Amino acid sequence: MEIKVNFLDKLRLEAKFDDFTVIADQPIRYKGDGSAPGPFDYFLASSALCAAYFVKLYCNTRNLSTENIRLSQNNIVDPENRYKQIFKIQVELPADFSQADRNGILRSIERCTVKKVVQEGPDFVIEEVENLDADAQSLLTVKPDAGASTFILGKDLPLEQTIANMSGLLADLGIKIEIASWRNIIPNVWSLHIRDAHSPMCFTNGKGATKESALASALGEYLERISNNHFYAGSYWGEDIANAEFVHYPNERWFKAGRKDALPKEILDDYCLAIYNPDGELRASHLVDTNSGNAERGICSLPYVRQSDGKEVYFPSNLIENLFVSNGMSAGNTLAEAQVQCLSEIFERAVKREILEGEIALPDVPQAVLAKYPGIVAGIRGLEEQGFPVLVKDASLGGVYPVMCVTLMNPRTGGVFASFGAHPSFEVALERSLTELLQGRSFEGLNDLPQPTFESNAVTEPNNFVEHFIDSSGIVSWRFFSARAEYEFVEWDFSGQGENSNAEEAATLFGILKDLGKEVYTAVYDQLGATACRILVPGYSEVYPVEDLVWDNTNKALLFRSDVLNLHRLDDDALEALLDRLENNELDEYSDIATLIGIDFDENTEWGQLTVLELKLLIRLALQQFEEAHELVGAFLQYNDNSVERGLFYQALNVVLEVTLDEDLELDDYVVNFRKMFGDARMDAALGSVDGSVRFYGLAPTSMQLEGLDRHQRLLDSYRKLHKARAAAAKAAAAA
């Protein structure tokens, strides 16, 4: 994690990381003001807090109350060496706790991350750089031997060279990658979480049988996502980029709507129109680009090559973002390698959907076949030794598709997790199924899995597939577990041979789609220096329903974005108009405003927690519509999952509104005791919200220039690096 420090007045310091700011000072005896803890005090507190976190985690997973648990830490200093200290952590447990839980809690404290790092002894590297922001030197801790050449199935270059090439490309773009976490809880299953140190909203997870393969996976995913602009999907990119020569890619084109908002003739083809506009309901306004919001410019469209005849077809960026999300994008050492990964991912998700929604029972992989892959067997054994039964299934549907499935059961909670993996190689597909199962997960994380059901509607509900797509945490049918499989086991193999194996495999996978009667559309994105691509298979590889283009399009943000960001500047007429749109666009009242308008607010602020319901409430207050506001306050308090402080403000507001609306009560008779209950600051805010002197309490003013929105600005900083690189690449290509 990158922590940037600013020097404040006197001895005060400010550390900024992620969305947090921490102030440190020194005691008065050390010439400070004693206004905040000192740096070493924070260090001491961190180990106690970390220990308490693991106690809390242990208790939460076993439904144990922490109400009567007490924990403390004392540091005992060696009189002859003050740098040698004993950290003594003591925990007091309720008398009714079993001995097993007492031992378990002590073991959980042993897992404290701060403790383990201190015990391991971190290395410090102290150096001078010319510019902190410009220095994009890799923060990656894995440094493979440059002389080694470790080849794995599916990669056209050794892992060591793959990692060096990918990390070098990111550094050249000015992106400083840091590793946030590693996990290796069973043999031969590694995962890690990497992110942009400056913009941690840009992150990926990698998985593999080794540290190096997991790192290569994470870096490859990072490159695929910046190449395809996935990190920035749904976000507003600001007025400068909205009016730039290009918004997404230099080869994009903008097409004007036809008469009566008709779709431009230049977009899509007949095959796609039959899928995306079967009833003629889709209009041009549905396809306005969300990121720029530049409706006057037209529909931003990206060129894709139709696989069947090589013809170029333009897809609206809005359509791709709304329906395909991240499905079918990849980066690789070569285009063929990237295409194999894209197509494998498409088959994995499409077949997974067919199996789960069809409640299909799959055949087990025979033990004799599993025994050919001892590394995978060791990982499965590691899970079973922890009390998690594992089922290994052939998901090829009779040898038709290159897909495998590993399913985990959790007898402690009754939950299950069906993980799928795909690749032309049986072994790689099986390994991916297993590593996907534990990507970024701890054993405790396996306690949150949903229970299977015989209710078919719950399994086939569209949002269930979305949950499976996001993190495989959707519901699975009990029929999936039937011992009577609907297909025979097939030890399939779609892999290629020799130096051109990836090219052969790509051709094979394209052939399967052709046999299914599917048109395939491809785009290559190499302006950033990486080889990345995206493959669309209309009617097959979408994640969200086609109807979302009309009924739940992300560009509904354009109805609200400008007014919400200019909220403090709106007059009553404009507020009424905004309120009307909020009331009449079928919005979920508990959905967050950040997602609605595509702004990455700091989630620890009122803006970051703001819901549609609360915004409507604040507008009603500003318009002095107290009865409606009071009703919304009641709903907020009943279902509030906001901060404690915000909840207390609305409790204060609630009683002020109740008195105000009751003709028999006088506010002056209650204010003194209201202040005793809620405090002066909270009451001033509540009273001011009613008398009109306080508007939109807690929401800092901003505008379409996005001032004060540091988190969102850091996201845009990341995108501007890509935009600049693409512009330079386009200029160089034109000059050549």
Side-chain angles (χ1 to χ4, degrees), residues 13 16 32 74 93 141 174 200 395 426 482 595 643 729:
L13 303 167
K16 298 179 77 70
N74 290 279
L93 300 173
T141 57
F426 185 98
S482 172
T595 301
S643 66

Side-chain angles (χ1 to χ4, degrees), residues 420-623:
F420 290 73
H423 189 268
S425 161
F426 185 98
E427 178 182 2
V428 174
L430 180 54
E431 180 186 286
R432 287 181 176 177
S433 299
L434 180 61
T435 54
E436 174 71 24
L437 188 72
L438 292 174
Q439 180 172 279
R441 284 184 170 85
S442 62
F443 287 129
E444 288 83 3
L446 297 174
N447 290 323
D448 297 328
L449 305 177
Q451 299 174 4
T453 180
F454 278 111
E455 292 292 332
S456 297
N457 289 341
V459 177
T460 58
E461 197 272 325
N463 194 58
N464 188 50
F465 176 68
V466 175
E467 294 296 323
H468 276 290
F469 171 80
I470 294 171
D471 60 5
S472 297
S473 64
I475 299 171
V476 178
S477 171
W478 268 120
R479 294 176 178 84
F480 173 82
F481 294 95
S482 172
R484 186 178 298 172
E486 297 178 42
Y487 292 88
E488 294 291 330
F489 168 75
V490 176
E491 191 175 0
W492 50 265
D493 183 12
F494 295 89
S495 56
Q497 303 296 322
E499 294 182 0
N500 297 317
S501 60
N502 271 316
E504 292 178 14
E505 290 168 2
T508 298
L509 298 181
F510 278 125
I512 296 174
L513 290 170
K514 183 178 180 181
D515 292 343
L516 291 173
K518 304 296 182 182
E519 282 282 10
V520 180
Y521 303 80
T522 65
V524 177
Y525 297 116
D526 55 8
Q527 302 99 331
L528 302 180
T531 301
C533 65
R534 177 147 206 170
I535 297 176
L536 309 177
V537 188
Y540 191 74
S541 65
E542 295 88 353
V543 174
Y544 285 95
V546 170
E547 298 80 45
D548 280 6
L549 290 174
V550 174
W551 301 110
D552 194 22
N553 196 303
T554 58
N555 74 5
K556 63 178 176 284
L558 308 188
L559 293 171
F560 308 102
R561 182 184 289 155
S562 178
D563 278 352
V564 171
L565 290 175
N566 288 297
L567 190 63
H568 293 78
R569 299 174 180 83
L570 300 184
D571 59 22
D572 285 358
D573 289 341
L575 286 174
E576 286 278 13
L578 173 57
L579 183 62
D580 183 68
R581 293 197 299 279
L582 290 168
E583 295 277 13
N584 295 299
N585 274 280
E586 298 183 355
L587 302 177
D588 178 357
E589 290 204 322
Y590 297 95
S591 62
D592 59 272
I593 292 296
T595 301
L596 175 65
I597 66 173
I599 298 294
D600 217 317
F601 295 110
D602 178 348
E603 62 185 17
N604 302 302
T605 65
E606 284 79 1
W607 273 114
Q609 296 290 316
L610 188 68
T611 61
V612 170
L613 184 148
E614 188 180 1
L615 178 58
K616 287 160 60 175
L617 189 168
L618 292 171
I619 293 173
R620 294 283 190 189
L621 277 177
L623 293 171

Side-chain angles (χ1 to χ4, degrees), residues 592-716:
D592 59 272
I593 292 296
T595 301
L596 175 65
I597 66 173
I599 298 294
D600 217 317
F601 295 110
D602 178 348
E603 62 185 17
N604 302 302
T605 65
E606 284 79 1
W607 273 114
Q609 296 290 316
L610 188 68
T611 61
V612 170
L613 184 148
E614 188 180 1
L615 178 58
K616 287 160 60 175
L617 189 168
L618 292 171
I619 293 173
R620 294 283 190 189
L621 277 177
L623 293 171
Q624 303 285 286
Q625 298 173 359
F626 295 143
E627 289 188 7
E628 295 86 347
H630 184 234
E631 183 178 338
L632 291 172
V633 169
F636 179 93
L637 291 173
Q638 185 174 0
Y639 300 105
N640 170 48
D641 60 359
N642 207 304
S643 66
V644 173
E645 175 58 37
R646 200 67 173 164
L648 287 170
F649 162 70
Y650 281 113
Q651 287 183 42
L653 179 63
N654 187 53
V655 294
V656 170
L657 286 172
E658 286 187 350
V659 173
T660 301
L661 291 168
D662 192 322
E663 295 180 356
D664 296 329
L665 300 178
E666 292 291 337
L667 192 56
D668 288 344
D669 295 339
Y670 294 88
V671 168
V672 172
N673 286 321
F674 283 171
R675 288 186 180 278
K676 289 179 180 179
M677 174 65 78
F678 297 109
D680 286 339
R682 219 172 273 130
M683 279 306 300
D684 288 343
L687 293 169
S689 296
V690 171
D691 68 26
S693 61
V694 174
R695 287 164 65 88
F696 310 111
Y697 174 65
L699 302 181
T702 185
S703 72
M704 289 290 281
Q705 277 62 57
L706 309 174
E707 64 270 19
L709 303 180
D710 178 66
R711 180 180 173 90
H712 194 81
Q713 290 290 359
R714 283 183 280 142
L715 182 70
L716 295 188

Side-chain angles (χ1 to χ4, degrees), residues 201-249:
M201 301 80 77
C202 303
F203 65 86
T204 58
N205 299 299
K207 59 185 184 293
T210 65
K211 295 193 300 291
E212 292 78 12
S213 59
L215 177 57
S217 166
L219 291 170
E221 186 173 285
Y222 200 99
L223 285 168
E224 87 179 28
R225 298 198 170 200
I226 60 173
S227 296
N228 287 278
N229 291 338
H230 180 68
F231 290 140
Y232 321 98
S235 296
Y236 176 49
W237 294 354
E239 293 179 343
D240 289 345
I241 292 176
N243 295 296
E245 186 174 350
F246 67 91
V247 172
H248 293 259
Y249 300 99

Side-chain angles (χ1 to χ4, degrees), residues 128-346:
E128 178 189 357
V129 295
E130 291 185 8
N131 186 313
L132 283 175
D133 294 324
D135 175 40
Q137 185 178 10
S138 174
L139 297 177
L140 303 179
T141 57
V142 174
K143 305 292 183 185
D145 182 354
S149 293
T150 306
F151 282 91
I152 63 172
L153 288 173
K155 291 292 181 188
D156 284 330
L157 289 176
L159 279 178
E160 295 79 8
Q161 189 175 344
T162 300
I163 292 170
N165 290 349
M166 290 179 170
S167 57
L169 285 171
L170 291 168
D172 290 343
L173 289 168
I175 297 173
K176 187 186 293 187
I177 293 292
E178 62 182 12
I179 294 179
S181 66
W182 281 101
R183 289 194 186 276
N184 173 221
I185 60 176
I186 61 171
N188 308 316
V189 176
W190 287 82
S191 69
L192 79 160
H193 178 90
I194 66 172
R195 62 186 188 181
D196 183 338
H198 178 66
S199 178
M201 301 80 77
C202 303
F203 65 86
T204 58
N205 299 299
K207 59 185 184 293
T210 65
K211 295 193 300 291
E212 292 78 12
S213 59
L215 177 57
S217 166
L219 291 170
E221 186 173 285
Y222 200 99
L223 285 168
E224 87 179 28
R225 298 198 170 200
I226 60 173
S227 296
N228 287 278
N229 291 338
H230 180 68
F231 290 140
Y232 321 98
S235 296
Y236 176 49
W237 294 354
E239 293 179 343
D240 289 345
I241 292 176
N243 295 296
E245 186 174 350
F246 67 91
V247 172
H248 293 259
Y249 300 99
N251 63 350
E252 70 191 25
R253 291 184 63 186
W254 294 72
F255 301 112
K256 295 287 188 180
R259 292 183 59 195
K260 298 183 179 180
D261 201 22
L263 298 179
K265 295 180 180 179
E266 297 90 342
I267 64 170
L268 303 175
D269 57 14
D270 291 342
Y271 179 86
C272 293
L273 287 170
I275 294 170
Y276 299 127
N277 193 27
D279 301 318
E281 291 183 307
L282 189 63
R283 316 308 299 165
S285 55
H286 291 133
L287 299 176
V288 172
D289 176 54
T290 306
N291 308 114
S292 69
N294 199 337
E296 293 183 2
R297 197 168 178 178
I299 296 175
C300 182
S301 303
L302 309 176
Y304 278 73
V305 175
R306 190 164 60 201
Q307 190 74 10
S308 61
D309 60 4
K311 181 181 178 181
E312 201 168 61
V313 177
Y314 279 87
F315 282 75
S317 61
N318 171 285
L319 182 149
I320 298 169
E321 175 191 305
N322 271 279
L323 301 185
F324 293 92
V325 202
S326 66
N327 198 21
M329 59 173 67
S330 185
N333 292 298
T334 63
L335 179 57
E337 180 186 309
Q339 287 177 329
V340 169
Q341 175 59 26
C342 274
L343 293 165
S344 296
E345 184 177 83
I346 287 169

